[in-house]
Amino acid sequence: MICYFSGTGNSAYAAQRIGRLTGMEVLDLFERIRDQDYSPLQTSQPWVIVTPTYAWRIPRIVSEWLEKTPLTGNSKIYFVMTCGGSIGNAGAYLEKLCERKKMDYQGCFPIVMPENYIAMFSTPTPEEAEKQLAAASPVIEQAAQSIKKGECFPELPRTMKDKLNSGIINDLFYPMFVHAKKFTATEACVSCGQCVQGCPLKNIKLEAGHPVWGNDCTHCMACISRCPMEAIEYGKHTQGLPRYTCPESR
């Protein structure tokens, strides 16, 4: 069974492609994470977790869901991580997670996709995104073939920089950067509520017709990227930047 979490569609696209190529069942984890649903899941298929990369590791909300949710039936588990460049030393932390869950770790596989972290980086134009998605396609197929054959993903080299990025940098990233303080809605907001519905942590509410962010944010960028009016900004950095959502996942 393929389980995925996705804010702007990159991981959704990868999961759906792998599902079609392997014939495996695909489950969107959005509702389960949003509702804090940790009820057991069972499958005779291997488990495949498809997730974005947040500061060179899987998102903490995905890690928490995995820690608390019994995955039964098949003990093999693969991780596919979409990223803007590198997944660092994420595999070391996933191995430990699998040890705690008593599951058979089959490796993690990076897939470079269009940059979607608009809070910190520049996002691609539609033309640039199209080229990047085309380049990602054979890599997704490679991951799918390994899963279909029951092969472990190849082990990735881990440099000292990778270890620092996934370790101390990840530890600092969350308290220093992962908050909703800079999100604002402009006058272009039409009170559609899509940002409220699309938040996996129920962190957004409409007050007097405008979105207000709480203190529980994972920086998935779903609210700012999926706003149909492009009425959400993250400080001054996002002003004028194109919003990116994966066109293949719609």
Side-chain angles (χ1 to χ4, degrees):
M1 178 185 288
I2 300 167
C3 301
Y4 74 88
F5 170 75
S6 188
T8 65
N10 280 343
S11 294
Y13 167 59
Q16 292 157 3
R17 278 286 310 280
I18 293 171
R20 288 194 293 270
L21 290 166
T22 60
M24 297 175 71
E25 180 183 355
V26 180
L27 174 65
D28 184 352
L29 295 180
F30 177 85
E31 294 292 343
R32 283 180 167 260
I33 289 174
R34 182 181 172 93
D35 298 338
Q36 298 184 3
D37 179 356
Y38 307 118
S39 56
L41 289 172
Q42 183 173 9
T43 182
S44 59
Q45 302 171 329
W47 297 94
V48 182
I49 309 300
V50 184
T51 174
T53 303
Y54 288 5
W56 300 281
R57 285 167 64 176
I58 67 171
R60 290 185 180 180
I61 59 171
V62 177
S63 180
E64 178 184 357
W65 181 85
L66 284 169
E67 291 272 12
K68 294 181 178 181
T69 303
L71 303 179
T72 62
N74 196 312
S75 64
K76 291 185 177 181
I77 184 167
Y78 295 84
F79 291 86
V80 175
M81 298 178 63
T82 59
C83 60
S86 166
I87 64 171
N89 192 33
Y93 297 88
L94 294 173
E95 285 184 81
K96 292 177 182 177
L97 186 153
C98 291
E99 287 176 7
R100 292 192 296 272
K101 290 185 68 67
K102 295 181 171 54
M103 298 190 75
D104 188 6
Y105 176 69
Q106 300 294 294
C108 60
F109 197 97
I111 299 176
V112 178
M113 299 281 279
E115 181 60 63
N116 58 5
Y117 193 31
I118 194 172
M120 189 172 290
F121 304 113
S122 295
T123 43
T125 64
E127 294 75 21
E128 291 168 338
E130 184 178 358
K131 292 179 181 178
Q132 293 164 351
L133 287 170
S137 183
V139 184
I140 294 172
E141 291 178 6
Q142 183 182 349
Q145 286 304 312
S146 293
I147 295 167
K148 195 171 183 179
K149 293 178 181 178
E151 300 173 345
C152 290
F153 288 146
E155 187 171 351
L156 301 173
R158 300 169 182 177
T159 66
M160 181 57 66
K161 182 181 178 181
D162 291 331
K163 293 177 181 178
L164 287 172
N165 284 339
S166 296
I168 190 170
I169 300 301
N170 182 277
D171 290 340
L172 293 172
F173 172 73
Y174 276 85
M176 292 180 65
F177 297 105
V178 182
H179 54 74
K181 297 175 184 177
K182 292 186 179 181
F183 281 117
T184 57
T186 69
E187 293 181 357
C189 176
V190 294
S191 306
C192 68
Q194 186 162 319
C195 55
V196 176
Q197 298 166 11
C199 179
L201 292 176
K202 298 182 180 180
N203 190 51
I204 308 173
K205 297 180 180 179
L206 287 184
E207 294 184 4
H210 270 59
V212 175
W213 284 260
N215 297 322
D216 197 10
C217 181
T218 188
H219 267 206
C220 70
M221 299 294 117
C223 60
I224 187 171
S225 299
R226 296 187 181 277
C227 175
M229 305 305 294
E230 297 189 7
I232 298 174
E233 301 287 0
Y234 190 78
K236 295 182 179 180
H237 172 75
T238 59
Q239 294 176 5
L241 288 182
R243 274 39 174 171
Y244 171 78
T245 55
C246 182
E248 301 296 336
S249 69
R250 296 173 185 170

